[in-house]
Amino acid sequence: MMERMAAYWNERSSREQWMLGVMIALLAATFLWFGVIVPLDRAQRGARDTLLAATDRNAAIRAAVKQLKTLPRTAPATGLAAPLDQLVGQGAGEAGLTLERAQAQGNDRMEIAIASVRPVVLFSWLAGLEARGVRVETMSARPSPTAGSVSVQAVLVRGEGQ
């Protein structure tokens, strides 16, 4: 193969050899530019943009955490007079949830089970309960037969967290 290329090269005049050399050099430069340098530059710019976005998100999260740490740790007085099972049942009804099981375990503790609930609805309901002074002690969630839903078992407790 190399012998044939050397013979082909030697058959060309010096002017043709010079033109072929320039053509090969330009092809190599074009390949280097568009095949190596431009993709590496785009990757570097993309990485820089991703880093800047991640840094901004990190700063926003740190600011939110700092703001949350300044909030009082005591449970709000809203709803403390109502029994826990009534508070949970009323909140579930307002959120459109059906409690499969709601078992009181003393005055300030309750075990619940929900057969099928969308995670967004579940967590907004739990946030509403948290605003009323009820927190989740333990929770177990598994995918339910309904697509995009989970079945949940949780223990809810009244009072502030640890």
Side-chain angles (χ1 to χ4, degrees), residues 5 10 12 16-17 45-46 48 67 69 73 75 78 80 82 93 104 111 121 124 138 143 145 153 158 162:
M5 288 187 73
N10 290 331
R12 305 287 146 225
E16 288 175 332
Q17 288 177 352
R45 287 180 189 201
R48 186 180 309 122
Q67 188 178 20
K69 284 184 176 180
R73 298 278 294 168
T78 309
L80 286 180
E111 183 177 352
V121 175
S124 63
T138 61
Q153 292 182 341
R158 186 191 317 239
Q162 271 78 349

Side-chain angles (χ1 to χ4, degrees), residues 143-157:
S144 72
T146 309
S149 297
V150 292
S151 62
V152 178
Q153 292 182 341
V155 175
L156 304 175
V157 208

